[in-house]
């Protein structure tokens, strides 16, 4: 296998090409009795100057496949959230956040846009897989200790603030996707305008 890879390598191909030049010089009578040295030297020189082999890229999932995994994990998180007892304000903020996430993870237009936005997929993944579950879990654990020591700072306030910050991040992502779609529409409009002007000029 290693021999086969070397035979197909750039170094061997470049060396063989230079060695072939040495053979041509030999048949032309230039190399004389030292032709084996000339051919070997040219082969070695060609192998040395050949560009290095480029390793194959790893087979990684594309953003679309990653988005499907995030969507599946979001369903698990939503099922987990149904068992959490929240204050009215925290529940309202959580509902607003999950509605935004549901819209962004929809199978329709947003999926198509996110499939070309790895950073957007990463942002969604971070919120769904880490930020949101950790915020709620921290709230549940802290609330238990607060019940044992009344008078301390309300964990609900921290949760409400965290949910609000995550909502802002999600809204910024949605706005970025909306701007991307608007720019694509404007680009297509300019393309049609330019094409129409070109056709008019040629007419």
């Amino acid at each position: 296998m290693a021999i086969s890879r070397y035979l197909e390598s750039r170094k061997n191909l470049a060396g063989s090409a230079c060695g072939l030049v040495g053979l041509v010089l030999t048949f032309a009578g230039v190399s004389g009795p030292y032709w084996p040295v000339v051919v070997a030297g040219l082969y070695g020189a060609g192998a040395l100057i050949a560009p290095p082999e480029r390793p194959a890229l790893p087979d990684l999932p594309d953003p679309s496949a990653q988005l499907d995994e995030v969507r599946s994990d979001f369903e698990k998180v939503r099922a987990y959230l149904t068992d959490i007892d929240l204050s009215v304000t925290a529940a309202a903020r959580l509902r607003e956040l999950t509605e935004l996430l549901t819209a962004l993870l929809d199978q329709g237009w947003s999926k198509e846009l996110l499939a070309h936005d790895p950073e957007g997929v990463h942002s969604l993944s971070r919120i769904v897989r880490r930020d949101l579950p950790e915020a709620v879990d921290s709230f549940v654990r802290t609330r238990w200790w607060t019940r044992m020591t009344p008078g301390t700072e309300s964990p609900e306030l921290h949760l409400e603030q965290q949910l609000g910050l995550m909502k802002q991040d999600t809204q910024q992502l949605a706005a970025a996707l909306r701007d991307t779609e608007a720019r694509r529409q404007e680009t297509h409009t300019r393309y049609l305008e330019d094409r129409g002007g070109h056709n008019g000029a040629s007419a």
Side-chain angles (χ1 to χ4, degrees):
M1 183 64 70
I3 295 176
S4 175
R5 285 199 300 268
Y6 179 76
L7 291 176
E8 298 174 356
S9 69
R10 297 179 181 180
K11 289 185 176 296
N12 181 58
L13 294 176
S16 298
C18 291
L20 184 60
V21 173
L23 289 175
V24 172
L25 293 175
T26 299
F27 291 130
V30 177
S31 301
Y34 302 103
W35 68 268
V37 177
V38 173
V39 172
L42 287 173
Y43 175 88
L48 286 174
I49 64 174
E53 294 294 323
R54 188 177 68 183
L57 289 172
D59 185 17
L60 300 174
D62 60 21
S64 179
Q66 296 178 36
L67 196 59
D68 290 337
E69 295 176 2
V70 175
R71 184 180 296 105
S72 176
D73 290 340
F74 179 56
E75 292 304 319
K76 297 175 184 177
V77 172
R78 290 182 66 178
Y80 158 73
L81 294 174
T82 58
D83 296 329
I84 307 300
D85 182 24
L86 300 174
S87 65
V88 175
T89 303
R93 293 197 175 182
L94 178 61
R95 183 173 59 255
E96 293 170 353
L97 175 61
T98 54
E99 287 175 353
L100 274 171
L101 291 171
T102 300
L104 285 171
L105 290 169
D106 184 76
Q107 291 278 3
W109 67 270
S110 59
K111 176 183 178 181
E112 180 182 350
L113 287 174
L114 283 169
H116 299 90
D117 184 7
E119 289 299 323
V121 175
H122 175 71
S123 297
L124 275 178
S125 175
R126 183 178 61 226
I127 293 173
V128 169
R129 293 172 169 167
R130 189 187 68 187
D131 295 345
L132 179 54
E134 183 174 332
V136 175
D137 183 61
S138 296
F139 160 74
V140 172
R141 288 185 284 109
T142 306
R143 185 176 59 177
W144 183 81
W145 286 106
T146 303
R147 287 174 177 172
M148 295 183 64
T149 54
T152 57
E153 189 174 7
S154 171
E156 280 84 358
L157 294 178
H158 283 289
L159 178 61
E160 291 167 11
Q161 184 179 10
Q162 292 165 8
L163 292 172
L165 292 171
M166 281 183 273
K167 179 185 175 183
Q168 290 179 14
D169 290 342
T170 309
Q171 288 175 325
Q172 290 175 0
L173 175 58
L177 292 176
R178 183 176 63 245
D179 290 344
T180 298
E181 189 71 2
R183 286 195 300 271
R184 184 168 68 174
Q185 186 182 31
E186 292 170 2
T187 300
H188 190 60
T189 299
R190 287 195 297 270
Y191 160 73
L192 292 174
E193 289 174 347
D194 293 342
R195 188 181 67 180
H198 177 74
N199 291 339
S202 62

